[in-house]
């Protein structure tokens, strides 16, 4: 039996522009002068009902992670559920506006936001991360440049 819900979620179609395999190069303030190489894959799952991100950075200080994107049409939002090899799980809200997409989590002890700009060629993305601990000011976090390796 085929589940009839295995169809594209039209509310998530704004993410279609990032589907593919990407090489990442990044920096993090905790490791100054260290180039962080990795890979991220963005893909549709369950017939397009959901969207998945798989990420890895080839450095022992950074965990491999997975995220599933879904929507709440009535609430008018896209949500991302993140999980990594440390057992860390977080819910983030996602916004897509033109050539920018971002995710953000506001929590009393630890908040994060990550803003990505898609370059006009569609094959390069620049991501800037920030974090905030226990109500302090925002500070730099992981920055990544994504270069598309393959459309999938």
């Amino acid at each position: 039996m085929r589940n009839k819900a295995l169809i594209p979620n039209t509310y998530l179609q704004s993410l279609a522009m990032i589907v593919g395999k990407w090489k990442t190069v990044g920096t993090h303030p905790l490791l100054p002068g260290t180039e962080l190489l990795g890979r991220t894959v963005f893909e549709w799952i369950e017939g397009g009902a959901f969207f998945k991100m798989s990420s890895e950075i080839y450095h022992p200080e950074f965990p491999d992670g997975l995220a599933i994107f879904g929507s709440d049409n009535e609430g008018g939002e896209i949500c991302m559920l993140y999980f990594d090899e440390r057992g860390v799980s977080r819910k983030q809200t996602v916004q897509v506006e033109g050539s920018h997409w971002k995710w953000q989590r506001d929590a009393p002890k630890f908040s994060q936001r990550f803003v990505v700009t898609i370059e006009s060629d569609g094959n390069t993305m620049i991501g800037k991360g920030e974090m905030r601990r226990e109500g302090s000011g925002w500070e730099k976090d992981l920055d990544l440049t994504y270069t598309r390796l393959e459309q999938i």
Side-chain angles (χ1 to χ4, degrees):
M1 181 174 102
R2 184 183 187 291
N3 187 316
K4 293 177 185 171
L6 296 174
I7 60 173
N9 179 343
T10 57
Y11 206 81
L12 297 177
Q13 288 304 304
S14 59
L15 296 168
M17 63 190 146
I18 63 173
V19 169
K21 296 179 182 178
W22 301 78
K23 173 182 82 169
T24 59
V25 179
T27 60
H28 194 283
L30 294 178
L31 297 170
T34 302
E35 184 177 66
L36 302 170
L37 303 176
R39 172 184 150 116
T40 300
V41 177
F42 297 98
E43 61 189 320
W44 298 109
I45 59 173
E46 301 299 328
F50 297 98
F51 194 72
K52 178 177 139 186
M53 176 182 73
S54 305
S55 62
E56 54 188 319
I57 294 177
Y58 313 132
H59 190 286
E61 297 290 319
F62 294 87
D64 291 355
L66 294 170
I68 304 297
F69 296 71
S71 65
D72 178 349
N73 297 27
E74 188 175 315
E77 67 180 2
I78 297 172
C79 296
M80 177 180 85
L81 295 176
Y82 170 86
F83 183 78
D84 69 34
E85 67 182 280
R86 303 168 297 178
V88 170
S89 179
R90 297 184 176 129
K91 177 186 171 197
Q92 313 236 7
T93 58
V94 178
Q95 295 176 319
V96 182
E97 298 170 359
S99 63
H100 301 281
W101 60 279
K102 67 179 179 179
W103 64 73
Q104 183 161 334
R105 173 181 187 265
D106 291 311
K109 290 186 178 186
F110 183 70
S111 297
Q112 281 181 297
R113 59 187 178 198
F114 194 72
V115 178
V116 179
T117 301
I118 302 167
E119 301 291 311
S120 60
D121 67 3
N123 293 314
T124 305
M125 301 189 293
I126 308 297
K128 301 286 184 189
E130 293 181 304
M131 66 178 183
R132 180 174 61 197
R133 296 182 191 275
E134 298 192 27
S136 65
W138 288 100
E139 54 189 86
K140 282 185 67 68
D141 198 6
L142 181 65
D143 287 347
L144 288 174
T145 297
Y146 299 79
T147 304
R148 191 187 303 268
L149 297 172
E150 179 184 343
Q151 292 250 0
I152 54 174

